[in-house]
Amino acid sequence: MHMTLKPGAPTAPANSTAPKRRLRPAERRLQIVEAAVAFFAEAGLAGTTRDLSQRLGITQSLLYKYFDSKESLVEAVFERVYLDRLQPEWRALLLDRALPLRERMLRFYTAYTDAIFTYEWMRIFMFSGLAGAQLNARYLGHLRVAFLEPMLGEIAASAASARAPDMEDIWNLHGGIVYLGIRRFVYQTPTPDDVRPAIQRAIDRFLRDFGIGER
Amino acid sequence: MHMTLKPGAPTAPANSTAPKRRLRPAERRLQIVEAAVAFFAEAGLAGTTRDLSQRLGITQSLLYKYFDSKESLVEAVFERVYLDRLQPEWRALLLDRALPLRERMLRFYTAYTDAIFTYEWMRIFMFSGLAGAQLNARYLGHLRVAFLEPMLGEIAASAASARAPDMEDIWNLHGGIVYLGIRRFVYQTPTPDDVRPAIQRAIDRFLRDFGIGER
DNA sequence: GATTTTAGAGATCATTTGATCAATAAGAAA
DNA sequence: TTTCTTATTGATCAAATGATCTCTAAAATC
């Protein structure tokens, strides 16, 4: 018997509302990329072009009209998934001393987890990390410089106690929060529907430790 | 061009010290499983049997003398990787009130991260999680019942303040620590060589939050 | 040393899968 | 309506890959 260990095509109905019509290139391309995001998130980056095309209700060869290779399709998927997830204004939010630091961090992590706690993002990020894609390192570097380091600076500035956090403390806070998404979407283990209470407690715990009271 | 997105066989020298001799079945089987652990950790569970056999310096067909299918080989890999990682005595350690709680938690997480912060374990755990293997959920369930819930109980018992942690707080602590390994082995991003200081700070921060002083 | 057992190699099969290309028909242009 | 463009299909290729089978030679047994 010929067995493969890849997840393959999980029971996915071919687009049942099949108009079977010719689409304008731009539309079709977008449709393909969006389906590919969902498909690769589920099946992994080793998912086959045939399974993807079946899910779209188009022929496999049509994919090659829009992408030179599977690799370039995956690249388009990355672009689509990563693009515009990190909002530059979050930086201003974190630095806005008109707001209490706790409030700023709460808002930041609420917005951040709203953005990345999706089945597609979480899993594709993991898949690409495991595949050794440079993207992840760049993403985390950007995250650190644009948001986490400013956050660290603000906490240090507010810290009443002698102790101030270092970058590893920040990563610890960050990891504790992100782990919620990993449990939910990678390990597919039960997690609270609303993650905000857990996040709030994590942030409060963190700030309290550096002498920044809730009140 | 025929391109595949799988990591394939990363520049791995075929066992250069090739004695090329006949091994007794038990030895050969073990040799295969150990090589498979390293190989699948690197290439993912979709790595090919041919690449694995090449790395071992044996023929691909020989693998099938020892395993019915690739699937059963992967199962043997799981068994090898998961088996005996979690030491039952850690539970007794966590419950040993002769030791300060902080000390118990410190020792537990030192032992735990010593056990799982390896390239093989971290990556194979992620791969199998993404592949939808039930194993991960079972593992985490076991971890929770055997260690994390006892830990939660001990913290609640020691908590001076009115507030006591709930399971999500424990997962937050746990996630913050495990994230170190994810950064190192999955995202392959720089992390401190010695993780103990960061772990110590995370534990102290946690305990302090529930009124359990270091001193 | 002769005989038997079986670990291992090598060839090969059947699918799978990324990719290509000529033929077709849907829709726009005339 | 007719003509033209091109999105889409269907057939096909070549390489990759899990699996099987026969044969050989190393080691165990006598």
Side-chain angles (χ1 to χ4, degrees), chain B residues 95-124:
Chain B
L95 295 172
D96 178 12
R97 297 196 176 174
L99 286 170
L101 181 53
R102 173 180 186 261
E103 187 61 28
R104 288 181 257 162
M105 290 177 63
L106 230 48
R107 288 193 198 176
F108 169 73
Y109 269 113
T110 300
Y112 183 69
T113 55
D114 276 354
I116 71 163
F117 279 11
T118 71
Y119 184 83
E120 288 76 23
W121 196 92
M122 275 282 149
R123 292 175 62 91
I124 287 181

PDB file of all heavy atoms in Angstrom, chain B residues 95-124:
ATOM      1  N   LEU B  95       5.415  17.910  45.515  1.00  0.00           N
ATOM      2  CA  LEU B  95       4.561  17.784  46.702  1.00  0.00           C
ATOM      3  C   LEU B  95       5.356  17.713  48.005  1.00  0.00           C
ATOM      4  O   LEU B  95       4.776  17.640  49.079  1.00  0.00           O
ATOM      5  CB  LEU B  95       3.680  16.529  46.567  1.00  0.00           C
ATOM      6  CG  LEU B  95       2.661  16.563  45.427  1.00  0.00           C
ATOM      7  CD1 LEU B  95       1.996  15.209  45.258  1.00  0.00           C
ATOM      8  CD2 LEU B  95       1.613  17.660  45.669  1.00  0.00           C
ATOM      9  N   ASP B  96       6.659  17.751  47.910  1.00  0.00           N
ATOM     10  CA  ASP B  96       7.519  17.589  49.097  1.00  0.00           C
ATOM     11  C   ASP B  96       7.614  18.880  49.898  1.00  0.00           C
ATOM     12  O   ASP B  96       8.484  19.720  49.652  1.00  0.00           O
ATOM     13  CB  ASP B  96       8.909  17.136  48.632  1.00  0.00           C
ATOM     14  CG  ASP B  96       9.862  17.006  49.817  1.00  0.00           C
ATOM     15  OD1 ASP B  96       9.393  17.043  50.985  1.00  0.00           O
ATOM     16  OD2 ASP B  96      11.073  16.870  49.570  1.00  0.00           O
ATOM     17  N   ARG B  97       6.756  18.987  50.861  1.00  0.00           N
ATOM     18  CA  ARG B  97       6.690  20.253  51.614  1.00  0.00           C
ATOM     19  C   ARG B  97       7.865  20.482  52.544  1.00  0.00           C
ATOM     20  O   ARG B  97       7.935  21.505  53.224  1.00  0.00           O
ATOM     21  CB  ARG B  97       5.365  20.331  52.371  1.00  0.00           C
ATOM     22  CG  ARG B  97       4.181  20.346  51.411  1.00  0.00           C
ATOM     23  CD  ARG B  97       2.890  20.794  52.055  1.00  0.00           C
ATOM     24  NE  ARG B  97       1.840  20.858  51.033  1.00  0.00           N
ATOM     25  CZ  ARG B  97       0.557  21.109  51.301  1.00  0.00           C
ATOM     26  NH1 ARG B  97       0.170  21.320  52.550  1.00  0.00           N
ATOM     27  NH2 ARG B  97      -0.329  21.161  50.326  1.00  0.00           N
ATOM     28  N   ALA B  98       8.760  19.531  52.603  1.00  0.00           N
ATOM     29  CA  ALA B  98       9.993  19.763  53.368  1.00  0.00           C
ATOM     30  C   ALA B  98      10.840  20.829  52.676  1.00  0.00           C
ATOM     31  O   ALA B  98      11.653  21.498  53.309  1.00  0.00           O
ATOM     32  CB  ALA B  98      10.784  18.466  53.504  1.00  0.00           C
ATOM     33  N   LEU B  99      10.615  20.985  51.391  1.00  0.00           N
ATOM     34  CA  LEU B  99      11.335  22.007  50.624  1.00  0.00           C
ATOM     35  C   LEU B  99      10.453  23.228  50.416  1.00  0.00           C
ATOM     36  O   LEU B  99       9.237  23.100  50.289  1.00  0.00           O
ATOM     37  CB  LEU B  99      11.730  21.474  49.247  1.00  0.00           C
ATOM     38  CG  LEU B  99      12.885  20.481  49.156  1.00  0.00           C
ATOM     39  CD1 LEU B  99      12.943  19.893  47.750  1.00  0.00           C
ATOM     40  CD2 LEU B  99      14.197  21.181  49.499  1.00  0.00           C
ATOM     41  N   PRO B 100      11.065  24.411  50.362  1.00  0.00           N
ATOM     42  CA  PRO B 100      10.281  25.609  50.031  1.00  0.00           C
ATOM     43  C   PRO B 100       9.670  25.440  48.634  1.00  0.00           C
ATOM     44  O   PRO B 100      10.314  24.857  47.747  1.00  0.00           O
ATOM     45  CB  PRO B 100      11.321  26.729  50.017  1.00  0.00           C
ATOM     46  CG  PRO B 100      12.494  26.201  50.751  1.00  0.00           C
ATOM     47  CD  PRO B 100      12.487  24.719  50.600  1.00  0.00           C
ATOM     48  N   LEU B 101       8.469  25.966  48.467  1.00  0.00           N
ATOM     49  CA  LEU B 101       7.779  25.808  47.181  1.00  0.00           C
ATOM     50  C   LEU B 101       8.614  26.336  46.025  1.00  0.00           C
ATOM     51  O   LEU B 101       8.695  25.723  44.958  1.00  0.00           O
ATOM     52  CB  LEU B 101       6.429  26.522  47.234  1.00  0.00           C
ATOM     53  CG  LEU B 101       5.574  26.428  45.968  1.00  0.00           C
ATOM     54  CD1 LEU B 101       5.389  24.977  45.543  1.00  0.00           C
ATOM     55  CD2 LEU B 101       4.225  27.094  46.200  1.00  0.00           C
ATOM     56  N   ARG B 102       9.230  27.473  46.256  1.00  0.00           N
ATOM     57  CA  ARG B 102      10.065  28.062  45.192  1.00  0.00           C
ATOM     58  C   ARG B 102      11.142  27.086  44.743  1.00  0.00           C
ATOM     59  O   ARG B 102      11.400  26.930  43.551  1.00  0.00           O
ATOM     60  CB  ARG B 102      10.709  29.335  45.714  1.00  0.00           C
ATOM     61  CG  ARG B 102      11.727  29.931  44.763  1.00  0.00           C
ATOM     62  CD  ARG B 102      12.352  31.196  45.329  1.00  0.00           C
ATOM     63  NE  ARG B 102      13.222  31.823  44.362  1.00  0.00           N
ATOM     64  CZ  ARG B 102      14.552  31.679  44.349  1.00  0.00           C
ATOM     65  NH1 ARG B 102      15.153  30.922  45.246  1.00  0.00           N
ATOM     66  NH2 ARG B 102      15.264  32.295  43.431  1.00  0.00           N
ATOM     67  N   GLU B 103      11.757  26.447  45.704  1.00  0.00           N
ATOM     68  CA  GLU B 103      12.815  25.491  45.402  1.00  0.00           C
ATOM     69  C   GLU B 103      12.270  24.313  44.600  1.00  0.00           C
ATOM     70  O   GLU B 103      12.880  23.868  43.627  1.00  0.00           O
ATOM     71  CB  GLU B 103      13.431  25.007  46.721  1.00  0.00           C
ATOM     72  CG  GLU B 103      14.653  24.130  46.558  1.00  0.00           C
ATOM     73  CD  GLU B 103      15.797  24.837  45.854  1.00  0.00           C
ATOM     74  OE1 GLU B 103      15.882  26.084  45.968  1.00  0.00           O
ATOM     75  OE2 GLU B 103      16.593  24.159  45.163  1.00  0.00           O
ATOM     76  N   ARG B 104      11.100  23.842  44.997  1.00  0.00           N
ATOM     77  CA  ARG B 104      10.496  22.721  44.296  1.00  0.00           C
ATOM     78  C   ARG B 104      10.210  23.080  42.836  1.00  0.00           C
ATOM     79  O   ARG B 104      10.510  22.313  41.923  1.00  0.00           O
ATOM     80  CB  ARG B 104       9.177  22.330  44.973  1.00  0.00           C
ATOM     81  CG  ARG B 104       9.353  21.636  46.314  1.00  0.00           C
ATOM     82  CD  ARG B 104       7.998  21.279  46.894  1.00  0.00           C
ATOM     83  NE  ARG B 104       7.581  22.199  47.956  1.00  0.00           N
ATOM     84  CZ  ARG B 104       6.325  22.327  48.390  1.00  0.00           C
ATOM     85  NH1 ARG B 104       5.353  21.603  47.839  1.00  0.00           N
ATOM     86  NH2 ARG B 104       6.027  23.176  49.346  1.00  0.00           N
ATOM     87  N   MET B 105       9.629  24.250  42.640  1.00  0.00           N
ATOM     88  CA  MET B 105       9.276  24.656  41.275  1.00  0.00           C
ATOM     89  C   MET B 105      10.530  24.887  40.433  1.00  0.00           C
ATOM     90  O   MET B 105      10.579  24.535  39.251  1.00  0.00           O
ATOM     91  CB  MET B 105       8.400  25.904  41.310  1.00  0.00           C
ATOM     92  CG  MET B 105       7.022  25.607  41.861  1.00  0.00           C
ATOM     93  SD  MET B 105       5.973  27.075  42.009  1.00  0.00           S
ATOM     94  CE  MET B 105       5.819  27.588  40.305  1.00  0.00           C
ATOM     95  N   LEU B 106      11.516  25.459  41.078  1.00  0.00           N
ATOM     96  CA  LEU B 106      12.786  25.698  40.387  1.00  0.00           C
ATOM     97  C   LEU B 106      13.377  24.373  39.924  1.00  0.00           C
ATOM     98  O   LEU B 106      13.795  24.217  38.767  1.00  0.00           O
ATOM     99  CB  LEU B 106      13.742  26.388  41.360  1.00  0.00           C
ATOM    100  CG  LEU B 106      14.463  27.653  40.895  1.00  0.00           C
ATOM    101  CD1 LEU B 106      13.502  28.627  40.249  1.00  0.00           C
ATOM    102  CD2 LEU B 106      15.161  28.307  42.093  1.00  0.00           C
ATOM    103  N   ARG B 107      13.402  23.428  40.825  1.00  0.00           N
ATOM    104  CA  ARG B 107      13.974  22.130  40.472  1.00  0.00           C
ATOM    105  C   ARG B 107      13.143  21.440  39.397  1.00  0.00           C
ATOM    106  O   ARG B 107      13.682  20.816  38.491  1.00  0.00           O
ATOM    107  CB  ARG B 107      14.060  21.221  41.713  1.00  0.00           C
ATOM    108  CG  ARG B 107      15.144  21.659  42.675  1.00  0.00           C
ATOM    109  CD  ARG B 107      15.418  20.585  43.700  1.00  0.00           C
ATOM    110  NE  ARG B 107      16.134  21.136  44.851  1.00  0.00           N
ATOM    111  CZ  ARG B 107      16.450  20.444  45.936  1.00  0.00           C
ATOM    112  NH1 ARG B 107      16.083  19.156  46.041  1.00  0.00           N
ATOM    113  NH2 ARG B 107      17.116  21.005  46.933  1.00  0.00           N
ATOM    114  N   PHE B 108      11.826  21.530  39.557  1.00  0.00           N
ATOM    115  CA  PHE B 108      10.971  20.892  38.553  1.00  0.00           C
ATOM    116  C   PHE B 108      11.236  21.469  37.169  1.00  0.00           C
ATOM    117  O   PHE B 108      11.470  20.722  36.204  1.00  0.00           O
ATOM    118  CB  PHE B 108       9.487  21.062  38.897  1.00  0.00           C
ATOM    119  CG  PHE B 108       8.569  20.669  37.767  1.00  0.00           C
ATOM    120  CD1 PHE B 108       8.391  19.326  37.431  1.00  0.00           C
ATOM    121  CD2 PHE B 108       7.903  21.636  37.023  1.00  0.00           C
ATOM    122  CE1 PHE B 108       7.562  18.956  36.370  1.00  0.00           C
ATOM    123  CE2 PHE B 108       7.082  21.273  35.955  1.00  0.00           C
ATOM    124  CZ  PHE B 108       6.908  19.938  35.638  1.00  0.00           C
ATOM    125  N   TYR B 109      11.216  22.774  37.047  1.00  0.00           N
ATOM    126  CA  TYR B 109      11.374  23.358  35.713  1.00  0.00           C
ATOM    127  C   TYR B 109      12.799  23.239  35.183  1.00  0.00           C
ATOM    128  O   TYR B 109      13.003  23.223  33.968  1.00  0.00           O
ATOM    129  CB  TYR B 109      10.859  24.800  35.668  1.00  0.00           C
ATOM    130  CG  TYR B 109       9.398  24.825  35.281  1.00  0.00           C
ATOM    131  CD1 TYR B 109       8.425  25.242  36.179  1.00  0.00           C
ATOM    132  CD2 TYR B 109       8.993  24.380  34.026  1.00  0.00           C
ATOM    133  CE1 TYR B 109       7.077  25.223  35.833  1.00  0.00           C
ATOM    134  CE2 TYR B 109       7.653  24.357  33.676  1.00  0.00           C
ATOM    135  CZ  TYR B 109       6.692  24.786  34.567  1.00  0.00           C
ATOM    136  OH  TYR B 109       5.378  24.755  34.217  1.00  0.00           O
ATOM    137  N   THR B 110      13.752  23.135  36.063  1.00  0.00           N
ATOM    138  CA  THR B 110      15.116  22.863  35.590  1.00  0.00           C
ATOM    139  C   THR B 110      15.173  21.465  34.991  1.00  0.00           C
ATOM    140  O   THR B 110      15.676  21.258  33.879  1.00  0.00           O
ATOM    141  CB  THR B 110      16.118  22.989  36.750  1.00  0.00           C
ATOM    142  OG1 THR B 110      16.050  24.311  37.282  1.00  0.00           O
ATOM    143  CG2 THR B 110      17.530  22.705  36.263  1.00  0.00           C
ATOM    144  N   ALA B 111      14.607  20.510  35.728  1.00  0.00           N
ATOM    145  CA  ALA B 111      14.608  19.128  35.232  1.00  0.00           C
ATOM    146  C   ALA B 111      13.766  19.020  33.965  1.00  0.00           C
ATOM    147  O   ALA B 111      14.160  18.365  32.984  1.00  0.00           O
ATOM    148  CB  ALA B 111      14.067  18.193  36.304  1.00  0.00           C
ATOM    149  N   TYR B 112      12.612  19.671  33.981  1.00  0.00           N
ATOM    150  CA  TYR B 112      11.706  19.572  32.838  1.00  0.00           C
ATOM    151  C   TYR B 112      12.334  20.157  31.572  1.00  0.00           C
ATOM    152  O   TYR B 112      12.316  19.537  30.510  1.00  0.00           O
ATOM    153  CB  TYR B 112      10.384  20.280  33.150  1.00  0.00           C
ATOM    154  CG  TYR B 112       9.368  20.149  32.043  1.00  0.00           C
ATOM    155  CD1 TYR B 112       8.780  18.924  31.765  1.00  0.00           C
ATOM    156  CD2 TYR B 112       8.998  21.258  31.271  1.00  0.00           C
ATOM    157  CE1 TYR B 112       7.860  18.789  30.735  1.00  0.00           C
ATOM    158  CE2 TYR B 112       8.072  21.131  30.258  1.00  0.00           C
ATOM    159  CZ  TYR B 112       7.503  19.903  29.988  1.00  0.00           C
ATOM    160  OH  TYR B 112       6.595  19.783  28.965  1.00  0.00           O
ATOM    161  N   THR B 113      12.908  21.325  31.702  1.00  0.00           N
ATOM    162  CA  THR B 113      13.511  21.923  30.503  1.00  0.00           C
ATOM    163  C   THR B 113      14.779  21.182  30.099  1.00  0.00           C
ATOM    164  O   THR B 113      15.089  21.102  28.907  1.00  0.00           O
ATOM    165  CB  THR B 113      13.799  23.425  30.709  1.00  0.00           C
ATOM    166  OG1 THR B 113      14.604  23.596  31.883  1.00  0.00           O
ATOM    167  CG2 THR B 113      12.508  24.198  30.863  1.00  0.00           C
ATOM    168  N   ASP B 114      15.490  20.627  31.057  1.00  0.00           N
ATOM    169  CA  ASP B 114      16.629  19.775  30.683  1.00  0.00           C
ATOM    170  C   ASP B 114      16.154  18.616  29.816  1.00  0.00           C
ATOM    171  O   ASP B 114      16.842  18.181  28.890  1.00  0.00           O
ATOM    172  CB  ASP B 114      17.324  19.204  31.937  1.00  0.00           C
ATOM    173  CG  ASP B 114      18.336  20.180  32.520  1.00  0.00           C
ATOM    174  OD1 ASP B 114      18.570  21.220  31.881  1.00  0.00           O
ATOM    175  OD2 ASP B 114      18.873  19.909  33.606  1.00  0.00           O
ATOM    176  N   ALA B 115      14.964  18.131  30.150  1.00  0.00           N
ATOM    177  CA  ALA B 115      14.454  16.950  29.436  1.00  0.00           C
ATOM    178  C   ALA B 115      13.920  17.277  28.048  1.00  0.00           C
ATOM    179  O   ALA B 115      14.110  16.510  27.103  1.00  0.00           O
ATOM    180  CB  ALA B 115      13.356  16.278  30.265  1.00  0.00           C
ATOM    181  N   ILE B 116      13.246  18.400  27.897  1.00  0.00           N
ATOM    182  CA  ILE B 116      12.569  18.646  26.619  1.00  0.00           C
ATOM    183  C   ILE B 116      13.228  19.702  25.737  1.00  0.00           C
ATOM    184  O   ILE B 116      12.907  19.786  24.553  1.00  0.00           O
ATOM    185  CB  ILE B 116      11.085  19.030  26.804  1.00  0.00           C
ATOM    186  CG1 ILE B 116      10.959  20.431  27.392  1.00  0.00           C
ATOM    187  CG2 ILE B 116      10.344  17.995  27.644  1.00  0.00           C
ATOM    188  CD1 ILE B 116       9.583  21.018  27.215  1.00  0.00           C
ATOM    189  N   PHE B 117      14.134  20.491  26.273  1.00  0.00           N
ATOM    190  CA  PHE B 117      14.780  21.493  25.425  1.00  0.00           C
ATOM    191  C   PHE B 117      15.879  20.847  24.593  1.00  0.00           C
ATOM    192  O   PHE B 117      17.064  21.124  24.777  1.00  0.00           O
ATOM    193  CB  PHE B 117      15.326  22.646  26.260  1.00  0.00           C
ATOM    194  CG  PHE B 117      14.285  23.665  26.638  1.00  0.00           C
ATOM    195  CD1 PHE B 117      12.937  23.427  26.452  1.00  0.00           C
ATOM    196  CD2 PHE B 117      14.654  24.898  27.197  1.00  0.00           C
ATOM    197  CE1 PHE B 117      11.974  24.364  26.813  1.00  0.00           C
ATOM    198  CE2 PHE B 117      13.690  25.850  27.553  1.00  0.00           C
ATOM    199  CZ  PHE B 117      12.355  25.574  27.359  1.00  0.00           C
ATOM    200  N   THR B 118      15.464  20.015  23.687  1.00  0.00           N
ATOM    201  CA  THR B 118      16.392  19.431  22.726  1.00  0.00           C
ATOM    202  C   THR B 118      15.801  19.672  21.347  1.00  0.00           C
ATOM    203  O   THR B 118      14.577  19.762  21.191  1.00  0.00           O
ATOM    204  CB  THR B 118      16.564  17.913  22.920  1.00  0.00           C
ATOM    205  OG1 THR B 118      15.359  17.234  22.520  1.00  0.00           O
ATOM    206  CG2 THR B 118      16.890  17.577  24.359  1.00  0.00           C
ATOM    207  N   TYR B 119      16.691  19.761  20.395  1.00  0.00           N
ATOM    208  CA  TYR B 119      16.270  19.970  18.998  1.00  0.00           C
ATOM    209  C   TYR B 119      15.241  18.924  18.604  1.00  0.00           C
ATOM    210  O   TYR B 119      14.203  19.248  18.025  1.00  0.00           O
ATOM    211  CB  TYR B 119      17.504  19.878  18.110  1.00  0.00           C
ATOM    212  CG  TYR B 119      17.272  20.167  16.647  1.00  0.00           C
ATOM    213  CD1 TYR B 119      17.245  21.469  16.180  1.00  0.00           C
ATOM    214  CD2 TYR B 119      17.106  19.134  15.742  1.00  0.00           C
ATOM    215  CE1 TYR B 119      17.048  21.736  14.840  1.00  0.00           C
ATOM    216  CE2 TYR B 119      16.912  19.385  14.391  1.00  0.00           C
ATOM    217  CZ  TYR B 119      16.882  20.691  13.949  1.00  0.00           C
ATOM    218  OH  TYR B 119      16.679  20.950  12.615  1.00  0.00           O
ATOM    219  N   GLU B 120      15.523  17.663  18.932  1.00  0.00           N
ATOM    220  CA  GLU B 120      14.651  16.567  18.518  1.00  0.00           C
ATOM    221  C   GLU B 120      13.269  16.668  19.156  1.00  0.00           C
ATOM    222  O   GLU B 120      12.246  16.615  18.477  1.00  0.00           O
ATOM    223  CB  GLU B 120      15.283  15.213  18.871  1.00  0.00           C
ATOM    224  CG  GLU B 120      16.471  14.843  18.011  1.00  0.00           C
ATOM    225  CD  GLU B 120      17.721  15.625  18.402  1.00  0.00           C
ATOM    226  OE1 GLU B 120      17.794  16.090  19.566  1.00  0.00           O
ATOM    227  OE2 GLU B 120      18.617  15.796  17.560  1.00  0.00           O
ATOM    228  N   TRP B 121      13.255  16.798  20.459  1.00  0.00           N
ATOM    229  CA  TRP B 121      11.967  16.769  21.132  1.00  0.00           C
ATOM    230  C   TRP B 121      11.089  17.938  20.708  1.00  0.00           C
ATOM    231  O   TRP B 121       9.936  17.766  20.329  1.00  0.00           O
ATOM    232  CB  TRP B 121      12.154  16.786  22.658  1.00  0.00           C
ATOM    233  CG  TRP B 121      10.904  16.369  23.355  1.00  0.00           C
ATOM    234  CD1 TRP B 121      10.561  15.116  23.740  1.00  0.00           C
ATOM    235  CD2 TRP B 121       9.792  17.202  23.686  1.00  0.00           C
ATOM    236  NE1 TRP B 121       9.319  15.102  24.302  1.00  0.00           N
ATOM    237  CE2 TRP B 121       8.816  16.360  24.281  1.00  0.00           C
ATOM    238  CE3 TRP B 121       9.509  18.556  23.545  1.00  0.00           C
ATOM    239  CZ2 TRP B 121       7.591  16.843  24.735  1.00  0.00           C
ATOM    240  CZ3 TRP B 121       8.285  19.041  23.991  1.00  0.00           C
ATOM    241  CH2 TRP B 121       7.343  18.195  24.578  1.00  0.00           C
ATOM    242  N   MET B 122      11.649  19.123  20.775  1.00  0.00           N
ATOM    243  CA  MET B 122      10.865  20.328  20.491  1.00  0.00           C
ATOM    244  C   MET B 122      10.258  20.285  19.096  1.00  0.00           C
ATOM    245  O   MET B 122       9.087  20.583  18.896  1.00  0.00           O
ATOM    246  CB  MET B 122      11.777  21.554  20.596  1.00  0.00           C
ATOM    247  CG  MET B 122      11.922  22.074  22.004  1.00  0.00           C
ATOM    248  SD  MET B 122      10.439  23.021  22.469  1.00  0.00           S
ATOM    249  CE  MET B 122      10.398  22.706  24.223  1.00  0.00           C
ATOM    250  N   ARG B 123      11.072  19.916  18.136  1.00  0.00           N
ATOM    251  CA  ARG B 123      10.598  19.953  16.754  1.00  0.00           C
ATOM    252  C   ARG B 123       9.639  18.813  16.443  1.00  0.00           C
ATOM    253  O   ARG B 123       8.605  19.023  15.798  1.00  0.00           O
ATOM    254  CB  ARG B 123      11.780  19.971  15.801  1.00  0.00           C
ATOM    255  CG  ARG B 123      12.560  21.284  15.888  1.00  0.00           C
ATOM    256  CD  ARG B 123      13.795  21.266  15.040  1.00  0.00           C
ATOM    257  NE  ARG B 123      13.524  21.113  13.630  1.00  0.00           N
ATOM    258  CZ  ARG B 123      13.337  22.109  12.768  1.00  0.00           C
ATOM    259  NH1 ARG B 123      13.384  23.358  13.192  1.00  0.00           N
ATOM    260  NH2 ARG B 123      13.112  21.874  11.513  1.00  0.00           N
ATOM    261  N   ILE B 124       9.947  17.624  16.911  1.00  0.00           N
ATOM    262  CA  ILE B 124       9.041  16.517  16.642  1.00  0.00           C
ATOM    263  C   ILE B 124       7.706  16.740  17.342  1.00  0.00           C
ATOM    264  O   ILE B 124       6.651  16.412  16.803  1.00  0.00           O
ATOM    265  CB  ILE B 124       9.696  15.176  17.042  1.00  0.00           C
ATOM    266  CG1 ILE B 124      10.780  14.841  16.010  1.00  0.00           C
ATOM    267  CG2 ILE B 124       8.662  14.057  17.121  1.00  0.00           C
ATOM    268  CD1 ILE B 124      11.500  13.548  16.236  1.00  0.00           C
TER     269      ILE B 124
END
